[in-house]
Amino acid sequence: MNNTEQSFLKELDDKLWKAADKLRANLDAANYKHVVLGLIFLKYVSDAFEERQRQLLKMFQTGEADNIYYLPRDDFDSDGDYQQALADELELLDYYREANVFWVPKTARWSTLKEKATLPTGSVLWTDDQGNAVKLRSVSWLIDNALEEIEKSNARLKGILNRISQYQLDNDKLIGLINSFSDTSFSNPEYKGQPLNLHSKDILGHVYEYFLGQFALAEGKQGGQYYTPKSIVTLIVEMLQPYSGRVYDPAMGSGGFFVSSDKFIEQHASEQHYDAAEQKKHISVYGQESNPTTWKLAAMNMAIRGIDFNFGKKNADTFLDDQHPDLRADFVMANPPFNIKDWWSESLAEDVRWQYGTPPKGNANFGWMQHMLHHLAPTGSMALLLANGSMSSNTNNEGEIRKRLIEEDLVECMVALPGQLFTNTQIPACIWFLTKDKGVRSNATGAAFSDRKGQILFIDARNLGYMRDRVLRDFTFDDIAKVTDTFHAWQQGDGYKDIAGFCKFASLDEIKKHDFVLTPGRYVGAEEQIEDGEPFVEKMARLTGQLQEQFAESKRLEAEIKRNLGGIGYEV
């Protein structure tokens, strides 16, 4: 985005967040996020629907599209008949579904919400299919009715839209939120009189993602269960390069990895000379999430961005109720909760997924890893965020599993991350990159990969990043590029070199000498100190002389202080 578009989005974020944050006095972040994100979703589907209506209206009147019914004005006796024919044609559902636009019934459209929300309670809103008068009960009921009508009309959305009446919010507060969203133009936006090249999907997708991050910060530890910091997600996606194929996240939270994969295709379209919209047809996403409200957040996140998804029939435990048992994915990415203790069930004892050893009952880390490997295609690649202990622990069979993974040549790269990256934990973390094929191959972009069998790349990124505030660290674009470029250069054998203190590739024999410990710091060594060119003997003589001068000056100052104190009657 250019600077103008970034400024527009920042001001929009601030404005909408201030409006939403007024609910904090009545609800905690874990609850009011559902109210706010539900309204964002309603605004999106309504905006997209109205945008499609404008396109259709133009085509009805001009006959520009072969597959759209042409309505010439001369075919009608009066202007009233003509306008009614246009209105009737605009209400045909197929015109919207063929363009992958959600159908929004009249009672669920944003214009209806804004108009009806300010009416007195008990006012007649419309008549139902049986001719009965429908009256306004409350603004939260009006919003829930819209969500329900949209679910009824769109099978893909069934069961994913969270109702808000349960939170018992005042009408005035909800009207204020509706007005805040209404005051912003999500279609054909302008900033200080300058038109912006942003579509409603881009803007509302950005707002949704921004709000997820803000709610995660507000919720603290609980918020981190559904939100992985954007810079870490971006780093993993840039390293794996998911241009096409099946993308899977077995601990998907709100679906951040899928959103980033979608953005990745858009951002790299020009440099790879392909059409982004066409390329997206070659990506399919699969996810799983145990928390029911988080499962709904992820589905809404995909719907806002127009990403087709398969999140299983329901929210479910990944280990005990795998929603994609037959899936073999080309890219697997996940940030599961670290070091889960209460994950085990005796039904898992002889599970087919434990190909490299049974994980300890008191820690799920290597359970997640082997579940992901089980679902990885023969030529696929995966990335897994885990606590640093996974790189060195030898307790309860973890060391043996790690040894098997290394001996089977599945580990491709290890990245040590700096601390304070996560909203929900201060536990130091790392990224495991694994693949079942480290031989000569090419990726979806056509880039040729060198034979890296018997090797593992180690990257120590602990010194990268900056403190975004007093609590959280973040990566810059340059930090992400540094790690990503290093990984790709090593994969492709083009321009890679070991850098002391940052990166080094090691053979399996060398790793064996380190007892199969994968901590990057053991391999990359210390950062080289910049030499100033001064011979050691001369430097030592110069520094010794400076030290003697400083000692002498110290003695002089000490004598001066004693003399001054003696002059006023103090003995030292």
Side-chain angles (χ1 to χ4, degrees):
M1 294 183 187
N2 60 42
N3 292 336
T4 303
E5 290 166 346
Q6 290 178 7
S7 298
F8 165 78
L9 291 174
K10 185 179 186 311
E11 288 189 16
L12 178 64
D13 290 340
D14 292 342
K15 171 189 170 183
L16 296 181
W17 179 253
K18 285 176 183 175
D21 207 35
K22 292 176 183 176
L23 297 181
R24 193 194 290 250
N26 302 79
L27 292 170
D28 63 27
N31 290 326
Y32 82 83
K33 72 168 175 277
H34 297 298
V35 178
V36 176
L37 296 175
L39 280 172
I40 290 174
F41 182 80
L42 282 176
K43 185 69 169 78
Y44 164 70
V45 294
S46 191
D47 275 16
F49 181 85
E50 291 173 3
E51 190 173 339
R52 177 61 174 166
Q53 275 196 325
R54 289 191 292 272
Q55 294 170 354
L56 289 169
L57 186 59
K58 182 180 178 182
M59 289 186 279
F60 294 154
Q61 293 171 324
T62 62
E64 289 180 356
D66 294 336
N67 61 331
I68 299 295
Y69 192 55
Y70 176 39
L71 291 168
R73 172 65 183 84
D74 295 344
D75 288 357
F76 296 87
D77 295 332
S78 68
D79 189 62
D81 290 343
Y82 178 55
Q83 295 302 326
Q84 186 60 51
L86 289 174
D88 291 343
E89 200 71 17
L90 284 173
E91 295 299 320
L92 295 180
L93 185 146
D94 288 345
Y95 286 132
Y96 301 88
R97 287 191 173 162
E98 69 183 12
N100 202 28
V101 172
F102 291 114
W103 171 258
V104 184
K106 288 182 179 179
T107 57
R109 293 172 195 171
W110 192 263
S111 55
T112 303
L113 285 183
K114 187 179 180 187
E115 175 192 349
K116 305 297 186 184
T118 55
L119 295 175
T121 302
S123 298
V124 175
L125 301 175
W126 53 75
T127 56
D128 61 20
D129 294 338
Q130 288 75 42
N132 302 314
V134 178
K135 297 181 180 180
L136 179 65
R137 303 175 198 173
S138 65
V139 178
S140 59
W141 171 86
L142 184 67
I143 294 168
D144 279 356
N145 179 75
L147 293 167
E148 186 172 342
E149 290 299 314
I150 288 172
E151 276 198 356
K152 284 181 184 176
S153 303
N154 302 276
R156 281 192 298 155
L157 300 178
K158 186 172 178 57
I160 73 168
L161 304 181
N162 200 60
R163 309 298 189 264
I164 72 166
S165 292
Q166 60 186 303
Y167 304 120
Q168 301 179 339
L169 282 165
D170 294 342
N171 287 345
D172 290 344
K173 284 190 166 54
L174 290 172
I175 290 170
L177 268 179
I178 290 171
N179 288 335
S180 294
F181 284 112
S182 299
D183 289 344
T184 302
S185 174
F186 291 99
S187 296
N188 304 315
E190 292 186 352
Y191 182 68
K192 295 182 178 179
Q194 181 179 344
L196 300 176
N197 186 30
L198 291 173
H199 301 291
S200 59
K201 183 178 75 171
D202 303 322
I203 300 169
L204 281 158
H206 167 87
V207 169
Y208 193 94
E209 186 175 9
Y210 172 78
F211 272 50
L212 283 174
Q214 290 298 104
F215 284 128
L217 288 172
E219 290 181 61
K221 187 172 183 179
Q222 289 299 112
Q225 292 182 1
Y226 63 81
Y227 185 77
T228 304
K230 184 179 176 182
S231 60
I232 299 177
V233 174
T234 302
L235 172 64
I236 287 174
V237 170
E238 290 284 340
M239 291 178 76
L240 288 186
Q241 296 181 302
Y243 281 101
S244 63
R246 293 151 296 189
V247 179
Y248 173 54
D249 183 348
M252 68 182 180
S254 56
F257 282 113
F258 304 133
V259 171
S260 245
S261 297
D262 191 67
K263 286 183 180 177
F264 177 84
I265 290 173
E266 290 182 355
Q267 291 168 356
H268 293 271
S270 59
E271 65 191 52
Q272 297 298 334
H273 308 295
Y274 60 74
D275 178 78
E278 187 63 32
Q279 187 64 32
K280 287 181 185 181
K281 296 177 183 177
H282 300 285
I283 282 280
S284 52
V285 302
Y286 300 82
Q288 183 153 349
E289 172 60 43
S290 61
N291 185 292
T293 55
T294 305
W295 187 82
K296 291 179 180 180
L297 285 180
M300 288 169 62
N301 203 2
M302 300 303 103
I304 278 181
R305 298 172 183 280
I307 300 173
D308 200 17
F309 61 92
N310 181 344
F311 292 165
K313 295 179 180 179
K314 59 181 179 178
N315 61 285
D317 184 291
T318 298
F319 294 118
L320 300 177
D321 189 5
D322 190 349
Q323 293 290 293
H324 309 285
D326 300 321
L327 173 67
R328 296 297 178 267
D330 301 288
F331 302 96
V332 185
M333 299 175 264
N335 173 29
F338 297 164
N339 303 326
I340 297 179
K341 291 181 171 58
D342 57 349
W343 72 287
W344 183 259
S345 166
E346 288 308 315
S347 64
L348 297 173
E350 301 296 329
D351 199 287
V352 67
R353 289 170 289 186
W354 314 147
Q355 187 177 348
Y356 306 98
T358 303
K361 297 178 182 180
N363 193 317
N365 286 347
F366 283 94
W368 286 112
M369 187 177 296
Q370 293 192 81
H371 172 86
M372 292 168 67
L373 279 167
H374 175 75
H375 284 288
L376 190 65
T379 57
S381 297
M382 62 174 266
L384 173 62
L385 276 155
L386 284 180
N388 275 359
S390 63
M391 298 187 289
S392 57
S393 172
N394 286 314
T395 59
N396 299 320
N397 206 37
E398 287 186 340
E400 285 302 311
I401 296 173
R402 188 174 58 252
K403 178 182 175 183
R404 283 282 307 279
L405 294 171
I406 294 168
E407 290 177 337
E408 296 285 338
D409 209 10
L410 295 168
V411 184
E412 185 173 24
C413 177
M414 299 297 302
V415 179
L417 296 172
Q420 296 179 268
L421 285 172
F422 298 89
T423 59
N424 63 325
T425 181
Q426 294 301 311
I427 297 174
C430 61
I431 312 174
W432 289 66
F433 288 88
L434 296 93
T435 182
K436 293 182 177 178
D437 182 7
K438 288 161 71 174
V440 176
R441 64 199 191 281
S442 61
N443 67 2
T445 70
F449 284 11
S450 299
D451 186 349
R452 291 303 184 191
K453 291 178 182 176
Q455 301 175 5
I456 297 177
L457 176 65
F458 294 92
I459 298 177
D460 191 342
R462 289 176 297 172
N463 293 324
L464 299 184
Y466 68 100
M467 293 305 295
R468 196 172 76 192
D469 52 38
R470 291 184 299 105
V471 179
L472 287 175
R473 180 177 288 273
D474 206 349
F475 284 139
T476 65
F477 290 119
D478 288 343
D479 293 329
I480 292 172
K482 181 177 182 179
V483 176
T484 299
D485 291 348
T486 298
F487 181 54
H488 293 161
W490 176 76
Q491 281 183 318
Q492 298 167 25
D494 182 13
Y496 172 83
K497 64 177 182 178
D498 290 343
I499 300 174
F502 177 65
C503 65
K504 182 184 188 302
F505 73 89
S507 67
L508 297 189
D509 287 340
E510 184 178 351
I511 293 163
K512 184 177 179 180
K513 291 177 183 176
H514 285 277
D515 295 322
F516 299 97
V517 169
L518 295 178
T519 307
R522 288 206 177 193
Y523 300 92
V524 302
E527 184 177 356
E528 289 184 3
Q529 300 299 311
I530 299 174
E531 294 293 335
D532 55 14
E534 185 177 8
F536 174 77
V537 174
E538 293 179 13
K539 179 185 284 190
M540 195 64 185
R542 177 174 58 79
L543 293 176
T544 302
Q546 287 179 355
L547 185 61
Q548 293 298 330
E549 291 174 4
Q550 288 165 354
F551 282 156
E553 180 64 10
S554 175
K555 288 181 180 179
R556 187 188 69 76
L557 290 173
E558 183 181 351
E560 185 72 21
I561 291 169
K562 287 180 178 179
R563 187 167 54 255
N564 290 337
L565 289 172
I568 56 175
Y570 285 93
E571 292 290 334
V572 180

